Amino acid sequence: MRKRIICTECPLGCEVEVELTNGEVSNVIGNGCIRGKIYATNETLSPKRMVTTTMRTDNGVMVPVKTSIPVDKTLVFDVIKLINKSTVKLPIKIGQILIKDVIDGVDIISTACLE
Amino acid sequence: MTEYAVVVIGGGPAGLAAAIKAWDSGAESVLVLERDTVLGGILNQCIHNGFGLTRFKESLTGPEYAWRFIEEVKKRGIEVWTDTTVLSIDKEKRVFAINSERGVFSIYAKSIILAMGCRERSKGALNIAGSRPSGLFSAGTAQKYVNVKGWLPGREVVILGSGDIGLIMARRMTLEGAKVRAVCEIMPYSSGLKRNIVQCLDDFDIPLYLSHTIVEIEGRDRVSGVVIAKVDENRKPIKGTEKRFSCDTVLFSVGLIPENELTAQAGIKLSSQTKGAVVDQNRETEIEGVFACGNVLHVHDLVDFVSEEAEIAGKSAADYANGVRGEKDCVECVAGESVGYVLPQLIDRKGGENVKLYFRVRKPIRDGEIRLESGGVTIFSKRKKIFTPGEMESIIIKKEDLAKFDSKSVLSVIGG
Ligand SMILES: Cc1cc2nc3c(=O)[nH]c(=O)nc-3n(C[C@H](O)[C@H](O)[C@H](O)COP(=O)(O)OP(=O)(O)OC[C@H]3O[C@@H](n4cnc5c(N)ncnc54)[C@H](O)[C@@H]3O)c2cc1C
Ligand code: SF4
């Protein structure tokens, strides 16, 4: 199987083609440099994304949050749903863990201070 | 009248970095005036990550990036007045402002730093057929609603403009449960970062229609749909290429424009290319002791460069206030082939330091040569593989070369 991936590591945006044999990457072509090979391999085997969103606080205002590590692309919507179900108490400090282990060892962390 | 050595107008990333640098460069007193209740400017609503890669070698969210500077401001004797709107400034460097505590008041400044940021263009919406139903928002306004107020402006969305804010909002609305039907871009390319096209559109199978624009907005009280059409080379819609999407919301992301009412009123010369003040490498405007930096000067895509520029302005403002400055000898530097603008527009030949020249190309170019010429002499030349209008470019001019600048120099990018 072949997959086409646009490398986003630099503005050149090489179109990289990844060849998969039995679920393993067997060949990578089109990448302008080594970073493209690494990127395209990861994007093919286990694409991950940082999730940034907001979470409601007990007085109604929103606090911006992020995941502690990038999460599997397929889990992004699940993470958002879990965050949207919860509320947190003020005050909140930047860097504070608001939900521990929301999914697969990923924490939800505040990215701002709110009084 | 109260006097400050340096008064900074705007408490976004530009104002914060400028204030810190002015203080660290020996300004006796520094005052930041911010119209909002909190510091941080536009970064407060930019909750996505990707900030600070150059400066901190980390991918921070907007609020996290701002926080680092707010902390630094707090450590110093810098005064901050929030909920304070500056109404005007004049050539004597008086700053007229208003807040609920003091009413309308004025302050005298030895140096003023303009750091008011930019606002969104809304013109794109004007030439579209149909009435003006509700459900039309600028992308930045929608961003504020969703990220700060926690309110989703609509469920089915079409976005006009594929700059970074439009792309970021396509993802944001999708994550919150809206369906983004299409992103429509009048140019044959997107001015947004590749990363954002992949992670904000492709990840969610949101189609991007290049060389397309919205030709009609349907609906009376609320938007019920839009019609888009392909455009020709002159950006005119082509008959017979129309497509209809039903939607209850249209977001416009058609560019940013520096917020320069104060600057213009003070009689400071603005550039027709950047829509910001004309400055020299110290970011000094036409009025001595008045400096500008950040998005009010030219629209930046990366906040890291906003901070860098603000530090230049902060240092220069402190030096001016302290009276440590020699005579100037400024010459013009203008945009040549394929270049949209060059900043600074004036080069002080007696500057004595290396000068970083920022510029943007007007169209994507592969394998181009950056060339700076003055009086028939090439002062600088360098080849680069790719240039895009969405990305600000820069070159460094060595201080030894400043003397080579003739009365007018031209920066070009020669394609192919
Ligand atoms: C929606 C959006 C998304 C972005 N995404 C990214 C990204 O992913 N990565 C990245 O690196 N960069 C990004 N940027 C760019 C970066 O955030 C900006 O370039 C940067 O914030 C500009 O800083 P600034 O201080 O010049 O302006 P601003 O942040 O706009 O701050 C200006 C401040 O001045 C205040 N002000 C204005 N007029 C007055 C007045 N008369 N009196 C008192 N105060 C006043 C305003 O309230 C505001 O707080 C984004 C920008 C936008 C708009
Ligand atoms: S493969 Fe290398 S050169 Fe090509 S886009 Fe990726 S990082 Fe840039």
Side-chain angles (χ1 to χ4, degrees):
Chain A
M1 199 180 81
R2 278 159 188 260
K3 263 191 100 168
R4 272 185 37 211
I5 287 181
I6 299 172
C7 178
T8 61
E9 296 286 292
C10 92
L12 281 180
C14 296
E15 268 194 35
V16 185
E17 222 177 80
V18 179
E19 223 176 275
L20 279 171
T21 325
N22 305 325
E24 300 260 328
V25 172
S26 49
N27 197 19
V28 179
I29 53 167
N31 53 309
C33 74
I34 182 72
R35 282 200 289 162
K37 185 170 178 176
I38 299 168
Y39 175 84
T41 306
N42 289 339
E43 270 293 290
T44 312
L45 299 179
S46 64
K48 287 193 163 43
R49 300 284 183 263
M50 281 293 284
V51 180
T52 58
T53 180
T54 52
M55 196 165 160
R56 207 164 278 282
T57 62
D58 53 357
N59 84 346
V61 294
M62 307 304 289
V63 59
V65 299
K66 67 175 183 186
T67 50
S68 53
I69 46 171
V71 304
D72 211 281
K73 207 168 104 175
T74 53
L75 295 177
V76 168
F77 278 101
D78 297 328
V79 169
I80 296 267
K81 274 202 197 100
L82 290 166
I83 294 172
N84 283 350
K85 266 195 218 152
S86 340
T87 43
V88 282
K89 271 215 189 84
L90 293 173
I92 294 164
K93 283 230 143 54
I94 189 168
Q96 186 178 330
I97 296 179
L98 301 182
I99 310 178
K100 182 98 195 127
D101 195 16
V102 69
I103 222 166
D104 286 352
V106 176
D107 300 334
I108 300 304
I109 295 178
S110 157
T111 60
C113 284
L114 280 185
E115 303 271 296
Chain B
M1 190 161 32
T2 332
E3 183 181 296
Y4 283 83
V6 178
V7 172
V8 181
I9 306 175
L16 294 172
I20 294 165
K21 192 69 182 185
W23 182 267
D24 292 350
S25 306
E28 262 171 37
S29 52
V30 178
L31 172 66
V32 179
L33 302 175
E34 167 57 53
R35 124 184 112 183
D36 205 342
T37 310
V38 290
L39 294 173
I42 201 83
L43 292 180
N44 290 315
Q45 67 184 66
C46 299
I47 63 161
H48 57 281
N49 62 319
F51 297 83
L53 285 165
T54 310
R55 193 181 178 99
F56 297 114
K57 311 280 175 259
E58 272 184 75
S59 176
L60 303 170
T61 65
E64 289 175 314
Y65 188 93
W67 184 248
R68 298 207 172 182
F69 290 85
I70 295 170
E71 286 287 277
E72 290 302 315
V73 165
K74 282 190 199 154
K75 283 183 201 158
R76 292 164 173 79
I78 298 169
E79 272 186 67
V80 176
W81 298 355
T82 52
D83 294 302
T84 305
T85 302
V86 173
L87 304 169
S88 66
I89 61 169
D90 67 14
K91 291 204 157 89
E92 280 75 54
K93 283 181 295 246
R94 279 177 302 177
V95 177
F96 298 86
I98 183 167
N99 66 21
S100 56
E101 202 181 310
R102 294 175 180 82
V104 176
F105 60 94
S106 60
I107 292 169
Y108 177 74
K110 283 184 181 152
S111 300
I112 295 176
I113 300 176
L114 305 171
M116 291 91 75
C118 60
R119 61 182 152 71
E120 282 175 290
R121 248 182 240 269
S122 53
K123 274 231 189 72
L126 293 180
N127 295 326
I128 299 172
S131 52
R132 287 279 168 273
S134 67
L136 310 179
F137 302 92
S138 74
T141 306
Q143 186 179 48
K144 193 162 186 180
Y145 282 146
V146 180
N147 292 346
V148 181
K149 303 204 188 305
W151 177 67
L152 195 63
R155 300 248 138 229
E156 288 185 290
V157 190
V158 171
I159 299 177
L160 179 65
S162 67
D164 286 315
I165 309 173
L167 300 177
I168 295 276
M169 280 316 289
R171 172 175 65 187
R172 189 69 192 117
M173 299 276 293
T174 306
L175 288 179
E176 290 298 342
K179 178 84 197 144
V180 179
R181 300 270 171 227
V183 175
C184 203
E185 168 63 60
I186 197 162
M187 302 303 282
Y189 52 84
S190 162
S191 63
L193 297 172
K194 277 260 157 55
R195 177 181 51 155
N196 285 337
I197 299 207
V198 172
Q199 296 194 352
C200 299
L201 300 187
D202 299 355
D203 271 10
F204 306 102
D205 298 318
I206 298 169
L208 170 60
Y209 292 92
L210 296 174
S211 300
H212 275 75
T213 191
I214 295 180
V215 288
E216 194 181 340
I217 295 173
E218 302 171 354
R220 269 216 284 172
D221 303 326
R222 177 84 194 194
V223 177
S224 57
V226 298
V227 178
I228 73 167
K230 205 173 162 50
V231 296
D232 61 20
E233 312 78 81
N234 302 318
R235 297 191 226 162
K236 289 274 170 302
I238 305 171
K239 275 236 146 37
T241 62
E242 294 86 358
K243 263 193 214 52
R244 184 185 179 277
F245 293 93
S246 69
C247 62
D248 59 17
T249 305
V250 182
L251 300 190
F252 294 92
S253 175
V254 290
L256 300 165
I257 180 157
E259 187 150 340
N260 272 305
E261 282 73 17
L262 290 182
T263 323
Q265 266 173 29
I268 293 171
K269 187 169 158 197
L270 299 181
S271 148
S272 61
Q273 290 172 332
T274 57
K275 311 280 186 272
V278 170
V279 293
D280 63 22
Q281 66 259 44
N282 293 323
R283 302 304 185 266
E284 186 165 30
T285 67
E286 224 180 19
I287 300 183
E288 250 189 45
V290 178
F291 303 81
C293 56
N295 278 356
V296 76
L297 189 56
H298 57 136
V299 175
H300 294 64
D301 21 69
L302 291 177
V303 70
D304 308 64
F305 297 121
V306 170
S307 307
E308 179 183 87
E309 176 169 273
E311 286 169 346
I312 297 174
K315 163 125 193 2
S316 318
D319 285 352
Y320 183 84
N322 288 333
V324 277
R325 199 181 70 179
E327 224 173 88
K328 297 210 289 185
D329 174 19
C330 285
V331 289
E332 256 189 297
C333 185
V334 301
E337 186 180 326
S338 300
V339 175
Y341 74 78
V342 185
L343 195 128
Q345 299 91 343
L346 298 173
I347 307 283
D348 175 8
R349 289 191 285 202
K350 291 187 175 162
E353 308 265 352
N354 290 354
V355 174
K356 193 165 176 181
L357 273 186
Y358 291 107
F359 65 96
R360 267 179 209 276
V361 292
R362 243 184 299 210
K363 53 175 202 279
I365 295 171
R366 276 191 179 264
D367 289 318
E369 184 202 343
I370 309 168
R371 195 187 298 164
L372 179 68
E373 290 173 299
S374 199
V377 183
T378 300
I379 299 180
F380 181 98
S381 150
K382 186 179 149 189
R383 296 200 72 85
K384 193 169 176 279
K385 270 202 180 158
I386 194 151
F387 300 84
T388 62
E391 270 173 79
M392 201 163 69
E393 303 282 344
S394 67
I395 58 171
I396 307 255
I397 307 297
K398 297 225 170 66
K399 55 179 181 233
E400 308 80 88
D401 290 339
L402 289 181
K404 293 187 196 157
F405 277 77
D406 199 13
S407 61
K408 186 171 184 170
S409 30
V410 182
L411 183 79
S412 324
V413 174
I414 295 125

